[in-house]
Amino acid sequence: MVHVHAADLRAALQAAATACYLNPLHSWTGDDHRRKRPAARFVVLRSAIPSRRPFSASIEPSTTAIVGGGGALSWVEKGKKPEICTADELHYVPVPGTDWKIALWRYLPSNEAPKRNHPLMLLSGVGTNAIGFDLSPGASFARHMSKQGFDTWIVEVRGAGLSIRAHESNETIQSSDKPSISNLDSTDEVKLTGDESQLVTKLTSTFMNLAERLSGYLNEGQLKAISEKFLEQISKLLEDAGLAERFNEIAAKISSLLEARQNSSVAGQLRELSQRLINTIEEGQKSVSPQLFDLQERLSSTIEDFQKQLDLIVTYDWDFDNYLEEDLPAAMEYIREHSMVKDSKLLTIGHSMGGILLYALLSRCASQGSKCGLAAIVTLAASVDYTTSKSSLKLLLPLADPAQALNVPVVPLGALMTAAYPLSSRPPYVLSWVTSQVSAQDMMLPELYEKLVLNNFCTIPAKVILQLTSAFREGGLRNRTGNFSYKDNLHKCDVPVLALAGDQDLICPPEAVYETVKLIPELKVSYKVFGKPDGPHYAHYDLVGGRLATNEVYPCIINFLCCHDELTCELSD
């Protein structure tokens, strides 16, 4: 049995996070489809061919409908959905107060199925996208539910799958895959030439980002810690050159200016100190041995690497509460409006973090005495309290240190899973333990498992993981400030809940699922564990896409949803 050590995992994450910068927001293995992006407020892309198409089929040109703020339709140039999107429609929904447009994959109900009263919303796990719910024509949870008559919507939260930032455009994406906060304002730029001048500009830009542009992302303690780390890296470069004493004098002044942050005189002083630092290095190199002639080059590389880390902190600046308070309400309101449900309620299914979001929504609404707008909830492998379980996610607990969140701003799960796949699926199976985290033995066809691993996983902000790790501490999952536990009000739940677990789920074991189930009133919750002592077994993903799920899990879910699909006269909030 292979044992994974937390220190090894952290080292791997730091290395992968740096590599992730080269393609930070792209969640798919092949990203060409992201080159064409709609920029309207609401965007609906409709497929012109039948829904029963193979995953690899080319999508024919279809008409793009732009839904304006008043609800009127205006027809624009013909386009097509990305080939990776196998839904009937692809919707883009702006999240109020942010620059995000989250993607909603819609699967229209079959005309041959019974008519349902409520639309069905699907929420996937942390660091995953819609592919997990629609892996192939023969293994598509979303398509299966639409054939049962449910108007089915998969929500891709910010940073996942096809969700985009509002300011992204074709030109921006084509010109550069990397977000940047490193450019100085044009009014502040000084026309400089030569390597030395370029270094001054780079260094000044980095310090300006620390002093001004990161003020909205880092608190005072975090800013101090990350700036000290950067200055320490430069100091190490200068030790052998005998420049440490002169550098320390300059560094002390820089630190003082960084603490002043947005003082109007900061920019000019930082540029002057950057120039002094580069001059010091230039003078020092003239009197040292030849092996230090590359000092400027190494300094330039250090600045660039540090700038990439800052870019990641800014680009991935959201947590679990952003999903709960911003993305989820925007998606729910949009689905209600476009499905035209009479009582404004939704049926919902959440896998892993998707289920955690639903529990958190129930708890928050219960604490406020408000209705959550849900007719019924199904959670798959989800809990808000992992304290009594042996979940493998405990390996991520070291990242709960806020300082680690600065060192590793993101966890590039997609890149890590792609890199691990050859070592987990081929002899000598060095990383075979990775496979068991996803699926139990013989529960997925090899080609479907490969498609899942290479297409379903995304990059996760450290802030999200930082908050989710509170589920492993006493009191369970908490909000970002730590003053509200998402388990405390579940005893007030008035929405029917079906909680399902897999017997060999290493990420969210049955005992973890039950820790949340037991908090809900007995008359409102049903609990079932899939898997048998002698097999077959169910791991974390098998409840959604295992080879037996269609015959064993899906009927259980459909029966539950049908029992709670009646219309009510109750007004939703």
Side-chain angles (χ1 to χ4, degrees):
M1 181 178 180
V2 178
H3 296 279
V4 184
H5 298 285
D8 295 335
L9 180 62
R10 291 198 302 274
L13 290 178
Q14 283 182 292
T18 301
C20 161
Y21 174 80
L22 298 176
N23 205 2
L25 284 176
H26 295 182
S27 308
W28 312 102
T29 301
D31 275 317
D32 288 344
H33 65 278
R34 295 184 63 94
R35 305 300 185 191
K36 297 181 179 179
R37 290 297 176 78
R41 181 173 182 269
F42 291 132
V43 179
V44 184
L45 298 177
R46 291 187 171 87
S47 173
I49 59 179
S51 59
R52 296 181 183 179
R53 60 180 178 272
F55 178 85
S56 60
S58 176
I59 298 177
E60 297 297 326
S62 58
T63 305
T64 304
I66 309 298
V67 184
L73 293 177
S74 59
W75 301 98
V76 297
E77 60 181 317
K78 289 188 175 182
K80 60 180 181 180
K81 293 190 286 86
E83 185 175 346
I84 196 76
C85 179
T86 50
D88 298 317
E89 299 173 0
L90 175 61
H91 297 239
Y92 283 95
V93 183
V95 180
T98 77
D99 62 349
W100 280 101
K101 291 184 179 181
I102 56 176
L104 272 60
W105 298 34
R106 187 182 191 182
Y107 301 77
L108 299 173
S110 169
N111 293 328
E112 301 174 359
K115 183 175 176 59
R116 309 297 183 183
N117 292 316
H118 299 97
L120 174 63
M121 178 177 69
L122 308 182
L123 299 171
S124 59
V126 63
T128 63
N129 52 48
I131 292 297
F133 282 123
D134 190 11
L135 196 53
S136 76
S140 174
F141 183 85
R143 187 66 64 190
H144 185 93
M145 300 307 290
S146 70
K147 289 179 180 179
Q148 297 297 315
F150 294 99
D151 184 5
T152 304
W153 301 72
I154 306 175
V155 177
E156 289 186 321
V157 294
R158 68 186 70 189
L162 297 175
S163 292
I164 60 173
R165 292 183 186 272
H167 64 261
E168 286 182 337
S169 64
N170 292 342
E171 292 77 13
T172 300
I173 295 173
Q174 288 172 350
S175 63
S176 174
D177 284 339
K178 295 182 290 185
S180 176
I181 60 170
S182 60
N183 293 326
L184 289 171
D185 294 336
S186 58
T187 55
D188 291 333
E189 287 184 354
V190 178
K191 293 184 179 180
L192 300 168
T193 59
D195 293 341
E196 180 181 325
S197 298
Q198 290 177 10
L199 269 178
V200 172
T201 302
K202 279 185 179 182
L203 197 55
T204 304
S205 174
T206 299
F207 288 137
M208 286 299 298
N209 285 328
L210 282 169
E212 296 180 352
R213 298 179 186 177
L214 285 177
S215 61
Y217 301 92
L218 303 176
N219 60 39
E220 186 173 341
Q222 291 173 324
L223 178 65
K224 183 177 181 181
I226 200 168
S227 59
E228 286 179 351
K229 177 183 175 182
F230 178 50
L231 292 172
E232 181 183 353
Q233 290 174 338
I234 298 178
S235 177
K236 288 181 179 179
L237 289 177
L238 304 180
E239 285 179 354
D240 293 338
L243 304 174
E245 184 175 345
R246 295 177 65 182
F247 169 76
N248 289 338
E249 177 189 347
I250 298 173
K253 293 181 179 180
I254 291 174
S255 296
S256 177
L257 286 174
L258 292 179
E259 291 179 8
R261 293 202 179 191
Q262 298 185 32
N263 185 294
S264 59
S265 63
V266 163
Q269 293 180 68
L270 284 175
R271 183 174 290 108
E272 179 184 347
L273 288 170
S274 297
Q275 182 68 66
R276 282 182 58 189
L277 177 57
I278 301 305
N279 290 344
T280 298
I281 294 173
E282 181 71 18
E283 293 169 8
Q285 281 194 150
K286 296 176 181 178
S287 59
V288 297
S289 55
Q291 63 263 31
L292 294 178
F293 281 180
D294 65 345
L295 191 55
Q296 284 196 2
E297 182 179 343
R298 285 189 286 157
L299 176 59
S300 177
S301 177
T302 298
I303 295 172
E304 290 175 1
D305 289 344
F306 184 73
Q307 185 63 56
K308 291 173 183 178
Q309 184 178 2
L310 299 186
D311 288 344
L312 286 173
I313 292 172
V314 172
T315 302
Y316 290 89
D317 182 49
W318 67 86
D319 56 22
F320 176 87
D321 283 354
N322 291 120
Y323 296 145
L324 176 66
E325 298 168 0
E326 298 170 357
D327 296 12
L328 187 55
M332 291 175 63
E333 182 61 31
Y334 186 88
I335 294 171
R336 288 191 190 104
E337 178 183 345
H338 287 75
S339 293
M340 295 180 290
V341 60
K342 294 181 180 178
D343 64 359
S344 297
K345 291 186 176 181
L346 311 180
L347 297 168
T348 56
I349 299 175
H351 175 242
S352 194
M353 189 191 73
I356 297 175
L357 279 169
L358 296 176
Y359 284 136
L361 178 63
L362 285 177
S363 184
R364 190 184 65 173
C365 289
S367 71
Q368 298 170 347
S370 61
K371 299 297 181 182
C372 63
L374 302 178
I377 289 173
V378 179
T379 64
L380 311 174
S383 178
V384 292
D385 189 347
Y386 288 77
T387 54
T388 62
S389 75
K390 297 180 179 179
S391 170
S392 57
L393 290 182
K394 288 186 177 180
L395 285 170
L396 295 177
L397 282 178
L399 291 178
D401 180 357
Q404 288 291 347
L406 294 177
N407 292 333
V408 188
V410 299
V411 176
L413 185 59
L416 290 171
M417 293 296 289
T418 299
Y421 174 71
L423 300 175
S424 65
S425 59
R426 302 167 191 165
Y429 303 103
V430 176
L431 296 180
S432 59
W433 61 271
V434 174
T435 302
S436 60
Q437 301 292 317
V438 179
S439 180
Q441 186 174 0
D442 298 327
M443 279 298 280
M444 289 189 71
L445 295 173
E447 58 270 24
L448 291 182
Y449 176 77
E450 179 180 12
K451 184 178 291 184
L452 179 75
V453 170
L454 299 183
N455 291 277
N456 185 54
F457 297 98
C458 314
T459 296
I460 312 170
K463 283 188 175 182
V464 173
I465 293 179
L466 179 63
Q467 187 173 352
L468 288 177
T469 54
S470 66
F472 291 89
R473 295 192 289 270
E474 184 178 356
L477 181 68
R478 295 183 174 273
N479 64 352
R480 67 169 65 95
T481 59
N483 60 6
F484 181 84
S485 171
Y486 286 118
K487 62 181 282 188
D488 284 351
N489 291 277
L490 289 177
H491 66 281
K492 302 176 185 177
C493 174
D494 60 355
V495 177
V497 175
L498 171 64
L500 304 182
D503 66 325
Q504 285 194 357
D505 189 337
L506 303 178
I507 293 175
C508 187
E511 58 268 27
V513 176
Y514 186 70
E515 278 297 312
T516 298
V517 167
K518 69 182 185 182
L519 302 173
I520 302 172
E522 187 174 347
L523 294 178
K524 288 295 183 181
V525 66
S526 301
Y527 171 61
K528 183 176 178 62
V529 180
F530 282 89
K532 301 175 182 178
D534 297 327
H537 299 289
Y538 283 78
H540 195 62
Y541 176 73
D542 296 327
L543 293 170
V544 177
R547 63 181 178 84
L548 300 179
T550 302
N551 296 324
E552 294 185 356
V553 182
Y554 295 3
C556 176
I557 294 174
I558 292 168
N559 290 338
F560 174 80
L561 294 178
C562 289
C563 287
H564 301 285
D565 190 38
E566 303 89 355
L567 289 171
T568 66
C569 297
E570 185 178 284
L571 294 177
S572 66
D573 296 304

